[in-house]
């Protein structure tokens, strides 16, 4: 049986704790519930905001979860600080683990951060034709850690995202149109006006040539053995190589049919 003095000391300690720590405890618990409620509201708002801003669907849930977890950790640590729980040891432990994990996963974390930036800033999207790391092809998939590019000869190239965010990327389809440059050498015995007429007829008859921007045809180089005529025309970016091959074939046939002798042709 506990004597009256022991019980009195026990209740006195409880009373002292309630006086000293009670308000802070109540404040901390209140802050915890209010904070969790606000975080829930923020989660709904962030999902809606990312959807309106057309953030990549594969990135939206990941970013939302990451933000929510970070906010909850900050909230819990703040509540513990308000209540009076000492965080010195916990802070050192978490910091040590963070440093070790950062050193072990530095490359992976860099790829992850680069993937987030690519999905947010959109220097290229799925379906774009790009040149990167010496590879030219179509972007088939953008993942958090890497991007898959399918080359025009049907090879799948997996490129770490850190390589794509820190080095030069040429997006050859982003603008929707590309300039097709052709340069052919002729002898001085061939009339320039005749060549221009054939060039213009080929462009007018070729359906995949765009009317705007305007084509450009002119003499690019003068040499001892002849002169070079350059032509710049605009075509759609997608299917550029197929368009180039077909147009050059048609131009060659029109030059031959027009009586223009090309270099290397027999007399």
């Amino acid at each position: 049986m506990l004597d009256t003095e022991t019980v009195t000391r026990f209740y006195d300690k409880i009373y002292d704790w309630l006086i000293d720590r009670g308000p802070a405890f109540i404040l901390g618990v209140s802050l915890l519930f209010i904070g969790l409620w606000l975080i829930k509201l923020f989660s709904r708002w962030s999902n809606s905001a990312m959807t309106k801003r057309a953030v990549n669907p594969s990135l939206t849930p990941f970013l939302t979860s990451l933000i929510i977890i970070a906010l909850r950790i900050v909230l819990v640590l703040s509540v513990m600080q308000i209540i009076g729980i000492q965080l010195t040891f916990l802070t050192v432990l978490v910091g040590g683990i963070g440093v070790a994990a950062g050193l072990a996963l530095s490359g992976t974390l860099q790829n992850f951060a680069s993937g987030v930036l690519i999905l947010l800033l959109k220097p290229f999207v799925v379906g774009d034709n790009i040149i990167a790391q010496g590879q030219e092809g179509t972007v088939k998939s953008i993942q958090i850690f890497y991007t898959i590019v399918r080359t025009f000869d049907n090879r799948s190239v997996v490129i770490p995202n850190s390589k794509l965010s820190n080095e030069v990327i040429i997006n050859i389809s982003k603008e929707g149109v590309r300039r097709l440059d052709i340069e052919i050498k002729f002898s001085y015995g061939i009339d320039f006006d005749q060549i221009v007429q054939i060039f213009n007829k080929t462009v007018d008859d070729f359906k995949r040539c765009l009317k705007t921007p305007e084509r450009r045809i002119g003499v690019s180089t003068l040499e001892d053995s002849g002169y070079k005529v350059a032509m710049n025309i605009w075509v759609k970016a997608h299917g550029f190589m197929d368009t180039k091959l077909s147009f050059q074939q048609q131009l060659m046939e029109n030059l031959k049919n027009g009586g223009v002798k090309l270099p290397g042709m027999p007399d």
Side-chain angles (χ1 to χ4, degrees):
M1 295 292 293
L2 296 176
D3 55 24
T4 303
E5 184 179 354
T6 302
V7 173
T8 302
R9 285 201 303 269
F10 175 74
Y11 282 112
D12 287 342
K13 289 183 179 180
I14 293 178
Y15 179 79
D16 292 339
W17 184 88
L18 288 175
I19 295 299
D20 294 337
R21 297 293 184 179
F25 182 82
I26 294 173
L27 177 62
V29 172
S30 301
L31 178 63
L32 177 64
F33 285 104
I34 294 173
L36 291 174
W37 177 70
L38 291 175
I39 290 173
K40 187 176 181 180
L41 290 180
F42 177 80
S43 174
R44 295 175 182 174
W45 174 84
S46 62
N47 275 323
S48 177
M50 289 182 186
T51 301
K52 289 180 180 179
R53 291 179 176 271
V55 177
N56 191 286
S58 63
L59 185 61
T60 299
F62 176 81
L63 281 180
T64 302
S65 299
L66 185 64
I67 294 172
I68 296 306
I69 291 173
L71 289 176
R72 286 176 178 173
I73 292 175
V74 171
L75 175 63
V76 170
L77 292 177
S78 300
V79 170
M80 293 174 67
Q81 189 72 32
I82 291 173
I83 292 176
I85 300 176
Q86 297 297 322
L87 300 177
T88 304
F89 175 74
L90 181 61
T91 303
V92 173
L93 180 61
V94 172
I97 294 174
V99 171
L103 292 174
L105 301 174
S106 57
T108 302
L109 292 175
Q110 187 176 9
N111 287 330
F112 162 75
S114 300
V116 172
L117 289 176
I118 290 172
L119 290 170
L120 287 176
L121 302 179
K122 298 181 180 179
F124 56 85
V125 297
V126 173
D128 280 352
N129 295 330
I130 67 171
I131 301 175
Q133 297 296 302
Q135 305 293 332
E136 180 176 354
T138 303
V139 178
K140 305 305 294 184
S141 177
I142 303 175
Q143 305 296 329
I144 292 295
F145 297 103
Y146 58 85
T147 294
I148 299 176
V149 175
R150 181 176 295 169
T151 61
F152 297 136
D153 57 353
N154 206 36
R155 293 175 295 144
S156 291
V157 181
V158 180
I159 305 177
N161 285 331
S162 59
K163 295 292 185 181
L164 296 176
S165 66
N166 295 327
E167 300 185 18
V168 175
I169 306 169
I170 302 175
N171 192 327
I172 55 181
S173 64
K174 187 178 182 65
E175 300 301 324
V177 297
R178 287 185 64 183
R179 195 179 75 181
L180 173 57
D181 300 328
I182 295 176
E183 186 179 58
I184 303 177
K185 184 176 180 178
F186 300 94
S187 67
Y188 286 111
I190 300 175
D191 184 59
F192 174 71
D193 291 336
Q194 180 186 7
I195 296 171
V196 172
Q197 183 180 0
I198 294 174
F199 275 24
N200 279 324
K201 183 180 185 306
T202 305
V203 175
D204 292 335
D205 294 342
F206 198 79
K207 295 181 179 179
R208 281 179 278 180
C209 289
L210 303 177
K211 302 301 181 182
T212 55
E214 292 289 336
R215 76 194 70 168
R216 183 170 60 177
I217 303 173
V219 177
S220 60
T221 307
L222 296 175
E223 299 177 351
D224 294 339
S225 57
Y227 63 98
K228 293 181 179 180
V229 177
M231 176 169 57
N232 309 132
I233 56 177
W234 293 86
V235 299
K236 291 183 178 180
H238 287 283
F240 175 82
M241 185 55 65
D242 292 335
T243 300
K244 179 179 180 180
L245 296 176
S246 298
F247 181 82
Q248 290 182 152
Q249 179 183 351
Q250 187 62 52
L251 178 61
M252 182 180 64
E253 292 177 358
N254 288 349
L255 288 170
K256 288 181 179 179
N257 294 336
V260 176
K261 180 179 178 297
L262 297 173
M265 289 181 60
D267 296 328

